Amino acid sequence: MPEEARPGSGEQAKQYALGRLRESILRGGMAPAQRLVENELAEQYGVTRASIRAALLDLASEGLVERIRNRGSRVRVVTIEEAVEITECRMALEGLCAAKAAEVATDAQIDELTDLGKAMSEAVAGGDPVSYSELNHELHTLIRVVSGQRTAVALLERLNAQLVRHRFQLALRPGRPRQSLSEHLAVVDAISARDPRAAEGAVRAHLSSVIDALRDD
């Protein structure tokens, strides 16, 4: 990797380490409760230990890392109870975004949402839960972007980062993608019909189903 892409110290080094660590946690490269040893990470990423420590502090504020007194840091474990609480918060915020999207979506954006729905249907028909999980994430992201509700989007990005492991596990559960698909298509249909109330209701119904699935875990 070019040297300029791996600055050894300073703000750039912290931001580089922060990006790499965040990506590794979100993509499952680092397991829940895994210890994060500053010296090892500094060597791995080619930055100073101070840069790693600063990055870990930022990740702790995002809820991805847990700082343990006199024991350093570890990847934070999100319990089922916490995942349910986070999803309850998502219900209000994502419902708002869906309602806004139904009000303001352009024809091109509705076409994009429809295409994602079709791709999700194909992933379920093809028995590809990993692709389905990725498309699921893309759909929720697009709805938030279309909504233009920047405050809700910022809050959701922080909440959703903590649910990556649970979301992926649900996608792999037998039968879950097929059930989830119909719920997502209902959201797309409501936005396409430019019906804010129906869009919000469809999102709430979907996330209520997610909560039920989490509690069955």
Side-chain angles (χ1 to χ4, degrees), residues 8 20 36 62 65 85 103 162:
R20 293 292 301 277
L36 301 169
E62 294 177 20
V65 164
E85 289 184 7
E103 293 175 357
Q162 300 176 58

Side-chain angles (χ1 to χ4, degrees), residues 28-206:
M30 293 178 173
Q34 179 176 328
R35 286 192 64 220
L36 301 169
V37 182
E38 292 176 5
N39 285 339
E40 293 177 2
L41 292 169
E43 183 176 353
Q44 179 180 347
Y45 295 141
V47 298
T48 64
R49 183 175 176 180
S51 298
I52 293 293
R53 186 180 301 114
L56 291 174
L57 286 171
D58 279 8
L59 291 170
S61 72
E62 294 177 20
L64 295 179
V65 164
E66 182 179 11
R67 302 280 290 177
I68 304 173
R69 186 176 179 86
N70 299 324
R71 295 183 61 186
S73 301
R74 69 177 185 180
V75 178
R76 194 168 82 85
V77 177
V78 177
T79 66
I80 295 296
E81 291 75 16
E82 286 179 290
V84 167
E85 289 184 7
I86 291 168
T87 306
E88 288 172 341
C89 292
R90 284 182 60 205
M91 194 181 293
L93 293 167
E94 299 229 28
L96 170 63
C97 288
K100 290 283 187 180
E103 293 175 357
V104 304
T106 65
D107 290 343
Q109 288 170 330
I110 286 176
D111 288 343
E112 193 173 353
L113 288 167
T114 302
D115 287 344
L116 273 174
K118 291 177 180 176
M120 292 170 74
S121 297
E122 292 170 1
V124 169
D128 186 353
V130 175
S131 293
Y132 178 79
S133 180
E134 292 172 353
L135 290 164
N136 176 356
H137 178 65
E138 286 183 38
L139 180 68
H140 282 276
T141 299
L142 179 57
I143 292 170
R144 294 196 292 271
V145 170
V146 171
S147 77
Q149 230 295 349
R150 289 179 294 177
T151 300
V153 168
L155 291 167
L156 282 165
E157 285 177 352
R158 177 166 178 173
L159 291 172
N160 285 324
Q162 300 176 58
L163 292 178
V164 170
R165 180 175 64 92
H166 290 290
R167 190 185 74 223
F168 188 70
Q169 287 176 336
L170 287 182
L172 295 178
R173 185 182 297 178
R176 178 61 197 170
R178 188 168 298 280
Q179 177 185 354
S180 170
L181 174 64
S182 63
E183 297 163 2
H184 285 101
L185 294 180
V187 176
V188 172
D189 288 346
I191 294 174
S192 299
R194 305 188 188 282
D195 186 336
R197 182 174 295 182
E200 181 175 0
V203 165
R204 285 181 170 273
H206 164 57

